[in-house]
Amino acid sequence: MQVGDRIGRRHSRFHTTEPFFSITSAALQFTSPHTIRDKGAGLGAFDVGNKIGIKGGPNNARILTIKNKNPSELLVDETVADSSDEVVTVINFS
């Protein structure tokens, strides 16, 4: 029996609504002030209200909150720096 099976239902730290996931791409484009675009339309798995982390490029180590979305574009609450054609990873935290 795994710990999560035995006590997971009673402890909030084992509760998650979505698994963590990430995408890594050179097709991501950050456009100031609040837009992230993906030419490959790979942003559909992210949801409004999700916190995402950025790894790589001028927005490295930023935590952003998704305000609006469609499969090829995310609008975030925070301001982003312009960048494109760089390998960047977007990590979903919540």
Side-chain angles (χ1 to χ4, degrees):
M1 179 180 296
Q2 298 293 321
V3 171
D5 294 335
R6 189 175 70 227
I7 65 172
R9 303 278 182 246
R10 293 182 282 157
H11 295 282
S12 63
R13 74 179 186 179
F14 293 108
H15 291 219
T16 59
T17 56
E18 294 290 326
F20 293 109
F21 65 90
S22 66
I23 61 168
T24 300
S25 176
L28 293 171
Q29 176 185 13
F30 291 77
T31 306
S32 184
H34 303 284
T35 306
I36 303 170
R37 289 189 180 93
D38 181 12
K39 300 170 195 164
L43 300 173
F46 296 98
D47 289 319
V48 172
N50 283 134
K51 297 276 187 200
I52 56 173
I54 309 300
K55 181 179 177 186
N59 294 293
N60 188 49
R62 300 279 317 275
I63 304 293
L64 308 171
T65 306
I66 299 172
K67 182 165 65 172
N68 202 343
K69 71 147 195 166
N70 65 53
S72 60
E73 183 175 277
L74 299 177
L75 295 176
V76 295
D77 288 331
E78 300 78 10
T79 302
V80 297
D82 289 335
S83 75
S84 61
D85 301 324
E86 298 182 51
V87 176
V88 175
T89 301
V90 178
I91 305 161
N92 184 64
F93 289 119
S94 62

